[in-house]
Amino acid sequence: MKSLWSDAEARRFAERFAAVGEDVALRVYSSRLIGADPALVMHGGGNTSVKSVHRDLFGDEVEAIYVKGSGWNLDSIEPAGLPGLDLAYLRRLRAVASLSDEEMVNQLRTHLFDAASPNPSVETLLHAFLPAKFVDHSHANAILALTNRDDGEDLVREALGGEVEIVPYVMPGYDLAQAAADVAEANPDCRGLVLMRHGLFTWGETAQASYEVHIELVHRAEQAIESKCGGPLLTPAPLEHDAGREAAVAALAPRIRGLLGRRDGSQRWILDFRVTAAIEALLGDPEGLALLTAGPLTPDHVIRTKAAPLVLPRLSPGDEDGWTAEAESCLDSFVSAYEAYFRLHSKEKGLSDLTQLDPLPRQIAVAGLGIFGVGDSAVAAAVAADICQHTVEVKAATRALGPYRALDAADLFDVEYWSLEQAKLGRGAPKALRGRVALVTGAAGAIGAAVCESLARDGAAVVATDADVGGLERVRASVHTQGGTCVTVAGDVTAEKQIEEVFTRACVELGGVDIVVLNAGIARSAPLEDVSVEEWQRVLDVNLTGYFLTMREAARLFRRQASGGNVIVNASKNVFAPGAEFAAYSVSKSGGHQLGRLAAIELAPLGVRVNMVNPDAIFAHGEIRSGLWNEVGQDRARSRGLDLDGLEDYYRQRNLLQSRITAEDVARAILFFAREETPTTGATLPVDGGLPGAFPR
């Protein structure tokens, strides 16, 4: 590990954040250096601080500490992520005999300079009790690899000598702050503290000094490990593309999602698959599997991952059903073990009023295949997968150090059910479609883009497919800008193999599909006698055969997943009220509508609902013009004796409510069915402002 400090970059941060002062600006810079390296911290881990001054309302300078706030990641922290507190008051707490977690948080919050600040780190008092100006804390891999052993203290002493002092494991909070301060005060010349099975603290009078001491100590730990293990601490080797492995993931991931979904009722889970050379090697070794389940590198991870992964058996080719039955038995055992763990430790600790968290795994290892992160969003699944991959690689690289020893179950339970740690997850009202995966065809068009955005805002991870690659990228960027997840797959709905590949990518990237929106469509406007066979066939190929191929692949996937689902068919008001010179379009849309009604009958035994939405003309969504109306708008306007500018107003004026129908209106109708607001299948919902001729009958 090398220092990445740059004086020029430090100056740029000082200039950029001049309004908050140089101390905080440089604290932001060096915090980002630490946060950018996953060998130091991951996903919200670690914390940093700087002691400075604050000018109060009266113009007086007050001793201050600025410390990382909960909910912020070091790699992207801003000054707002370093709430300021009254340092002199916090130091007085050193003399308090005891302090509960809840009272500690109260004392921190009541001594913030800005009441709107995020909660300061639960380790704020540890930072405050250390005398140095800058303090850095990480969960460095190299440190944890040394401490998570029976002889961990000896390994630390051998690697780092007397320049650090060791603090036995104490759960973060007031007691750890006191224990660490005691050790540091008794050894004023030490350069850092190693917290057993927890991480490393260093300090200095400048941001650069504290950061570089941190890097130096971690580097020395890495060198010690390399000398004992014969190789670098982390050697992640990406594996070449393996079509067989990808096919196995596509086959098993929906079955895993189905098992999890059926176990947890209405909740659905997204999967994130990973495999590297280290993962492959560990999963192929019985001793490696035991190491995999031997506990997290740091207790900070347990709230996102639980104490250990679920291990599932190797798949025998062609025996997916047998594998599923065996996997279900493994899941049953995992759940039973978790429930027993909860009963035992909640009883021993006298926490009879504690509510058990869901007992499902957040990491799953499949022998001979790889690992899956599990989460109720794509982000949560990726976090779990990152931590699992990282943990596997560290454990695999350090086996020569001796038996791995994580914290015992009782200590992990304390962290998993610690109210202060739970608060890090920012729990709030869940979005209606959290954990769902929605696949949308024709996603680059006006309606498709609006549907993708609406589904993502409601919590779904979106798989967007279209033949328009540039349009797909616009949709992906729009969804991501709004904080959603969007996987794009270019594809032609009329090509059987391409539709199969779209569903395969959804399974490999996210684990499966729960919601399918059939939306791809084209049109041809001409009198019946002027429509060529080729034009007729092309419209039917996209609007009807494309719907059939997508529906068929969805049905196959829903059967494997066995946890229900929703299909929403975007048909048209033309199903019931066809327009002149629109023969191919009206016939194809009527066929798609009838296909949806038939599918509602066939798929109901699988718990799959199929419903139809019949919109009137949609011309645009923001700057995205409807491809269909760009193609046929001039002809439709001419058939009514209008110019193109008057066509939209014509459609508004002809409906009962005098409403301009938008892509967002169609998206809301689709959301109604996707949310399962009512126990409905086989229904048709017009989105046309009221057209008596198009009333379903």
Side-chain angles (χ1 to χ4, degrees):
M1 183 167 290
K2 296 180 180 179
S3 169
L4 300 178
W5 183 275
S6 162
D7 287 337
E9 190 67 10
R11 284 194 297 274
R12 280 192 285 273
F13 269 76
E15 292 167 2
R16 177 181 172 188
F17 296 123
V20 296
E22 185 174 84
D23 287 344
V24 173
L26 294 180
R27 178 69 286 175
V28 170
Y29 171 55
S30 59
S31 296
R32 290 191 183 184
L33 291 180
I34 292 172
D37 192 339
L40 292 174
V41 295
M42 295 185 70
H43 299 298
N47 39 72
T48 58
S49 69
V50 60
K51 299 176 181 72
S52 188
V53 294
H54 167 76
R55 192 173 295 279
D56 67 16
L57 189 64
F58 304 102
D60 297 330
E61 287 191 345
V62 179
E63 283 188 290
I65 183 169
Y66 297 89
V67 64
K68 179 195 153 190
S70 291
W72 285 84
N73 289 340
L74 289 180
D75 62 346
S76 57
I77 200 164
E78 300 274 339
L82 292 163
L85 301 97
D86 183 339
L87 178 59
Y89 182 87
L90 298 189
R91 282 177 166 163
R92 291 179 62 192
L93 296 176
R94 182 85 164 94
V96 175
S98 64
L99 206 60
S100 70
D101 291 333
E102 289 71 23
E103 184 56 36
M104 179 183 73
V105 170
N106 179 57
Q107 292 299 316
L108 297 180
R109 283 218 61 83
T110 54
H111 289 84
L112 287 163
F113 296 129
D114 183 349
S117 295
N119 277 339
S121 165
V122 296
E123 289 168 330
T124 294
L125 292 182
L126 200 164
H127 286 262
F129 293 167
L130 294 172
K133 185 179 181 72
F134 287 87
V135 178
D136 293 331
H137 168 48
S138 80
H139 303 145
N141 291 338
I143 300 299
L144 294 169
L146 296 175
T147 65
N148 290 12
R149 258 94 191 162
D150 289 337
D151 58 348
E153 292 193 17
D154 294 337
L155 290 171
V156 171
R157 292 286 184 212
E158 183 180 345
L160 303 181
E163 295 184 68
V164 300
E165 292 300 324
I166 294 173
V167 181
Y169 177 77
V170 178
M171 186 170 167
Y174 182 75
D175 291 344
L176 175 60
Q178 291 283 33
D182 287 344
V183 172
E185 289 171 5
N187 302 274
D189 295 328
C190 71
R191 304 174 71 199
L193 297 176
V194 171
L195 279 55
M196 297 301 292
R197 294 177 170 83
H198 184 154
L200 174 68
F201 272 83
T202 60
W203 49 79
E205 290 309 305
T206 67
Q208 181 177 2
S210 181
Y211 166 72
E212 291 191 334
V213 168
H214 208 91
I215 298 304
E216 178 194 338
L217 292 175
V218 173
H219 177 66
R220 284 166 54 186
E222 289 176 338
Q223 287 182 312
I225 292 168
E226 185 170 348
S227 69
K228 289 179 176 292
C229 298
L233 180 57
L234 278 179
T235 55
L239 295 176
E240 294 181 4
H241 175 74
D242 184 332
R245 178 183 286 110
E246 184 168 281
V249 172
L252 296 189
R255 294 171 182 269
I256 293 171
R257 289 189 79 231
L259 291 173
L260 297 173
R262 293 195 298 276
R263 170 68 65 171
D264 200 25
S266 62
Q267 177 62 48
R268 295 293 177 267
W269 301 92
I270 291 174
L271 305 183
D272 188 309
F273 178 74
R274 306 289 175 86
V275 65
T276 65
I279 292 170
E280 188 175 56
L282 208 65
L283 294 181
D285 176 358
E287 291 184 4
L289 286 174
L291 186 59
L292 176 67
T293 59
L297 294 176
T298 173
D300 188 67
H301 290 165
V302 74
I303 194 170
R304 293 172 174 84
T305 65
K306 298 197 183 297
L310 165 65
V311 177
L312 297 180
R314 184 184 299 270
L315 172 66
S316 298
D319 188 30
E320 286 83 0
D321 290 342
W323 181 91
T324 303
E326 193 173 349
E328 185 168 18
S329 177
C330 292
L331 178 60
D332 288 344
S333 297
F334 183 96
V335 168
S336 295
Y338 185 87
E339 290 172 341
Y341 152 86
F342 176 80
R343 287 194 302 270
L344 171 65
H345 296 294
S346 59
K347 181 178 180 180
E348 286 186 347
K349 298 172 187 297
L351 302 172
S352 58
D353 59 343
L354 198 62
T355 300
Q356 179 188 296
L357 300 172
D358 80 78
L360 297 177
R362 294 300 187 271
Q363 301 170 329
I364 297 174
V366 181
L369 188 61
I371 60 173
F372 292 93
V374 180
D376 62 3
S377 69
V379 171
V383 167
D386 282 347
I387 292 173
C388 191
Q389 176 181 337
H390 198 73
T391 301
V392 166
E393 288 168 347
V394 171
K395 288 179 177 179
T398 58
R399 292 171 77 171
L401 290 178
Y404 177 87
R405 294 285 185 270
L407 282 175
D408 63 31
D411 287 322
L412 291 175
F413 181 90
D414 287 339
V415 176
E416 185 176 1
Y417 283 88
W418 187 23
S419 60
L420 304 189
E421 275 295 311
Q422 291 295 310
K424 285 186 178 182
L425 297 184
R427 293 180 181 273
K431 294 182 178 180
L433 299 180
R434 65 169 183 160
R436 264 66 172 178
V437 180
L439 189 153
V440 181
T441 68
I447 293 176
V451 170
C452 289
E453 292 165 4
S454 294
L455 289 166
R457 283 195 299 270
D458 224 32
V462 175
V463 178
T465 185
D466 200 295
D468 179 359
V469 176
L472 280 181
E473 177 54 30
R474 287 193 298 272
V475 171
R476 186 203 64 78
S478 176
V479 170
H480 284 199
T481 298
Q482 297 177 49
T485 296
C486 183
V487 174
T488 59
V489 188
D492 179 351
V493 293
T494 69
E496 187 172 4
K497 293 299 181 184
Q498 290 187 38
I499 286 296
E500 291 174 2
E501 175 60 19
V502 169
F503 278 86
T504 294
R505 295 269 31 106
C507 293
V508 170
E509 298 287 338
L510 298 166
V513 176
D514 305 285
I515 301 160
V516 178
V517 181
L518 306 183
N519 176 67
I522 62 172
R524 170 75 168 96
S525 178
L528 188 60
E529 64 265 29
D530 294 338
V531 178
S532 69
V533 171
E534 291 77 16
E535 291 168 334
W536 171 270
Q537 191 61 54
R538 177 58 182 160
V539 174
L540 263 66
D541 283 346
V542 174
N543 296 1
L544 182 54
T545 303
Y547 276 21
F548 159 71
L549 292 174
T550 306
M551 184 82 79
R552 186 181 68 175
E553 202 59 31
R556 291 169 174 173
L557 175 57
F558 287 142
R559 186 171 297 280
R560 294 200 305 274
Q561 204 161 262
S563 56
N566 279 278
V567 179
I568 300 99
V569 178
N570 182 17
S572 169
K573 75 90 190 173
N574 285 57
V575 170
F576 297 112
E581 300 185 5
F582 227 27
Y585 181 82
S586 296
V587 169
S588 66
K589 285 296 186 178
S590 295
H593 187 274
Q594 184 74 339
L595 175 66
R597 295 172 68 194
L598 290 166
I601 297 169
E602 289 194 21
L603 301 184
L606 298 179
V608 176
R609 307 173 186 212
V610 185
N611 293 288
M612 283 63 69
V613 171
N614 282 9
D616 200 3
I618 305 297
F619 291 88
H621 172 58
E623 297 181 358
I624 302 174
R625 298 294 300 176
S626 166
L628 185 151
W629 284 97
N630 281 345
E631 185 175 340
V632 304
Q634 290 284 3
D635 290 335
R636 301 307 290 161
R638 189 164 41 251
S639 72
R640 291 174 170 82
L642 302 168
D643 60 23
L644 191 58
D645 291 339
L647 189 61
E648 276 196 72
D649 200 49
Y650 164 80
Y651 280 106
R652 181 185 65 78
Q653 292 180 12
R654 76 177 184 177
N655 68 63
L656 297 174
L657 299 178
Q658 301 280 287
S659 296
R660 187 180 302 277
I661 310 305
T662 68
E664 290 90 344
D665 294 328
V666 182
R668 280 191 289 272
I670 288 170
L671 275 180
F672 171 78
F673 288 125
R675 291 172 175 167
E676 300 184 351
E677 300 278 5
T678 60
T680 301
T681 192
T684 300
L685 177 58
V687 186
D688 58 15
L691 295 172
F695 287 176
R697 55 190 184 273

